[in-house]
Amino acid sequence: MSDQIDSILQQVPENLHDDIRRLFEHSQQFAMLMRTASEEDCLQLFKPLSDAILPDGSERWIPSCESNELVTCLAHLRQCKHRGHRHLIWWEMGLRGDMDASCRAIADLASGLMDEALNMAGRLIAPRYGYLEGGSFCVIGLGKLGGRELNLGSDVDPLFVWQGEGQTSGGRQSIPAAEYYMQLSRMLIRLMSERTIDGIVWPVDMRLRPGGDAAAIALHLDATVNHYLEYGQTWERAMLIKARPVAGDEALGQAFVDGIVPFIYRRYLDYTTVAALAEMKRRIDGQAGSGGIAPGYDVKRGRGGIREIEFVIQSMQLLHGGRNRDLRVQPSMQAIDLLMQADAIGEEDVNSLKAAYRFWRRIEHAIQSRRGEQTHKLPADFADYLSCATGIEDVEQQMIQHAAIVEEAFRKFVRPVGEENEQVSGWLTGEHVEMNSLDETERERINLALNGIDECLSRGLLPERSRAQVERILEQAMPVWLDDENGVTALESFAKLIHSISGRATWIDLLATHQGSLDWLIGVLSASQYLADHIVKDPSWLEWPLMSEHSETDIHHICAELNALDGFEDVEQTLADIGRGVDRARLLAALAVDAHSADVMTIGRWLADMADAATSAVLRLCLHEMALPVDFPFVALAMGKHGSHEMGLVSDLDMVFILVHENPSEMIGRRSMGEHGQRIGRRMIQYLTGQPPFGAGFEFDARLRPSGSSGVLVTNISGFRHYQRHEAQTWEHQALCRARPAAGPESAKESVEMAVKEVLDLQRDPVVIAADVIEMRQKMIDHLGSKNSDVKNLKHDAGGLVDIEFLAQYARLNFGGNRRRTTDVLRELPASVPEAWKQEADWLADTYLDYRQMENALRVELWRSIGKLPTDAEATEWETMRRHAAIKAPDALMERMQQVHRVFNLLLSA
């Protein structure tokens, strides 16, 4: 780097040398940006203040890029941004130029980059979606982007609005206007904020749009204006003061700005608005910088900082802008001058606030220019660093003076009378003795979570009432969570939930008014990380306690939707629909496990029905893609717990694929029936195992097919019959006891069902079968059982689930019948079975249900398996068992397992 500096100094006037050295020394961000600067770039950059140039959104700073390559477009935007930031940092920290000009330049650069990215986005999505004739799109800048006062580390807060109708044309796929503008918006966001080797252009925050994260990314003009006029909230009025078109169709953007004027500005003096803004700022004080000037003080949110100045100006604009149209401007410094001319704020206050605003903006930019961080907090060495970076003497003392002036102005113009005497001591603002008994790590995690909640509420994405409601929720939840070993995790999940809710206050209203829903949420967040993660991802699950009696209906509805899928032109969308259905069914099952609202066998049937529907949908999709008839004789034979309707939340799909055709060499088109079958099988596995939204998300096991992993993937019906009759071993016939055709044409499924029944009904030597079953069971214990006394494998250890399943399979092979589920086989034994079987069968079935209950509870509550169940009664797993299972202690489990294995040996050796 020193070589580069020496080279630069040789080319620029000597009077700039000290400033250049100082800038390289104090700004790591500037030094990094200079690595890609050419000699010409340096000549254009290092000029004295009188000749220095600032970036804007023009062609000079953002040349048009006509590339159709995404990578090229991403690089071009980032290189333009880097060039602009070099000039901005040199202007501010090298030359200490005017801050108003700098902030305008940053905003104009961002707007120009956004406009170029929008042009690129339309071009990049055109091959697939074409264009929309007669449509229009505009990016509305909110916040500092709209006010042309952006800082170096700001997000950009845009609002995307559109008009148009009809379908796109000219691309591979025609889509309606709403979807086209959604795709355009997504590409625009990607171009701006996707991280590449060159970093990002600007972080894009879309949460200020109506509805927050729950709403469409791009909004129709009329619907958006109507939303604000009918449902807009106070914080949105303040936010929209700065709204202006920054990219795209400026006429459309101006129509939006004109349309929301009646919402922003009232004809009467609306002091309720001022009080609401005061409440917003008071909440901000609880999280940042309220302790005075020191390391960590937030120059944006802290008391006496930038946000208080902005609130003073915005509150006065809202108060007087209804009667005085001249006050309806976006930039803060322009607005405060107009407020002074309107006698809304006195000249002395205006001068001091303007001085403070420019001072804090220079400090803010110096902090951000140091390492390119998106921060507003004073570093540990802030006094020394800022003095060198800004040239401001006694910088700490000046901070104290400006903060005091601003805080006094805020009290004078915004804060309601008497507010300073109010004492607020909620979970989000107060200190709580209940936390004193926790260790330091837990206290730190709790404080981080509470601060995260407070930040979401303070950002203004939720209405004013939500803070009090969240405080009431925490008042009930925190004592419970502090007394629960998973309580800290529960609070962290709740913080994520509040962030996920964003602008959708309905969910907080629900929790604040429906005690049953709140009690359920308090419990489920501490009990089940699996459920907590899904609720955070989709807060609509908060309604589940209100409709839990409909769980089975919901499962049937999901299966019906999957069975109705038939529009397969968009493969990705079909797979996303399948994956979403599978995911939703699993969650309904997990909720029922947690609430004890459905028994083990009901859960198993729900999940198997869902797996059937997903498998059938995937088969239909494959046939469509391969242009094969819908009655192509391909059958997916479900094995294992899928086949017997006994699935758990993470059960594999054990499947055998069968081509029900006696002549697999017969041709259909350019391929034989057999070749088509193999292709279907491979593609089905790909789709069934792809993770949502690119598949159904199952684990898949095809090793039960004839000859196992060495056999062909798809077997024709004749080969299946022959193998099962003449080559299959006893364990393979045991597996066949659960087999059930899950997908395929009805006639083909009937043929496979008949072939399976013929094999199962063969006459067998009971002694030989018993010996085979005992031998296979011992191999499993030796190879798969637990190897130390500290844990139990409830599936594979002696006396575990497999003992009972093997007994049921032996009974089916030896005694006959037509049942598949383990408990059904045991409870419905023929009258001719030995007496010992009659005595033990019901007890074995009950034990099987108890084991499966433990398996479901562990999976739902802790996302752990029964393969490593601790023998320590104090372990977390046993606390879960005490809440959710019939077997509540390790001693009781080991006694039950010993008895099961004794019965296993007794019945098979009789």
Side-chain angles (χ1 to χ4, degrees), residues 7-72:
S7 174
I8 291 170
L9 296 181
Q10 293 173 12
Q11 303 173 52
V12 301
E14 188 174 347
N15 63 336
L16 301 179
H17 288 192
D18 289 344
D19 292 328
I20 292 172
R21 290 193 185 95
R22 175 174 52 79
L23 187 51
F24 269 96
E25 178 183 354
H26 293 296
S27 175
Q28 297 174 25
Q29 173 71 356
F30 184 76
M32 184 191 74
L33 291 171
M34 289 301 299
R35 290 173 186 167
T36 57
S38 67
E39 182 176 320
E40 179 61 27
D41 289 335
C42 293
L43 291 174
Q44 291 294 318
L45 172 62
F46 293 115
K47 295 183 177 181
L49 187 61
S50 58
D51 299 323
I53 51 176
L54 282 171
D56 54 33
S58 68
E59 179 82 9
R60 175 183 181 184
W61 289 93
I62 310 168
S64 178
C65 174
E66 300 299 328
S67 174
N68 292 314
E69 295 293 329
L70 176 62
V71 173
T72 302

Side-chain angles (χ1 to χ4, degrees), residues 653-721:
L653 292 188
D654 295 307
M655 226 172 248
V656 172
F657 295 142
I658 301 174
L659 181 65
V660 187
H661 196 274
E662 297 299 338
N663 182 16
S665 61
E666 180 180 320
M667 301 298 290
I668 294 187
R670 292 183 298 170
R671 291 186 173 88
S672 68
M673 293 284 288
E675 288 173 327
H676 283 304
Q678 299 297 331
R679 294 179 70 224
I680 293 170
R682 288 193 296 271
R683 193 167 299 193
M684 282 191 69
I685 293 175
Q686 175 190 340
Y687 289 164
L688 287 169
T689 58
Q691 290 303 305
F694 307 109
F698 287 104
E699 294 291 327
F700 194 92
D701 191 344
R703 290 175 297 174
L704 292 178
R705 67 185 187 268
S707 301
S709 299
S710 62
V712 293
L713 183 61
V714 180
T715 309
N716 79 302
I717 188 70
S718 299
F720 177 80
R721 285 196 189 98

Side-chain angles (χ1 to χ4, degrees), residues 213 493 496-497 500-501 504 530-541 579-580 583-584 587 692:
D213 288 338
S493 295
K496 293 175 185 175
L497 175 63
S500 176
I501 285 171
R504 295 165 289 178
Y530 175 77
L531 291 176
D533 289 346
H534 278 77
I535 293 167
V536 167
K537 185 167 65 175
D538 181 3
S540 67
W541 286 107
R580 190 161 43 248
D583 205 36
R584 189 169 182 82
L587 191 61

Side-chain angles (χ1 to χ4, degrees), residues 240-256:
L240 290 170
I241 286 176
K242 296 182 181 296
R244 70 179 177 91
V246 297
D249 186 336
E250 187 172 342
L252 175 67
Q254 193 58 50
F256 169 81

Side-chain angles (χ1 to χ4, degrees), residues 148-162:
R148 293 184 74 195
E149 48 201 12
L150 213 56
N151 63 59
L152 291 168
S154 284
D155 294 348
V156 290
D157 299 297
L159 186 67
F160 300 150
V161 295
W162 60 273

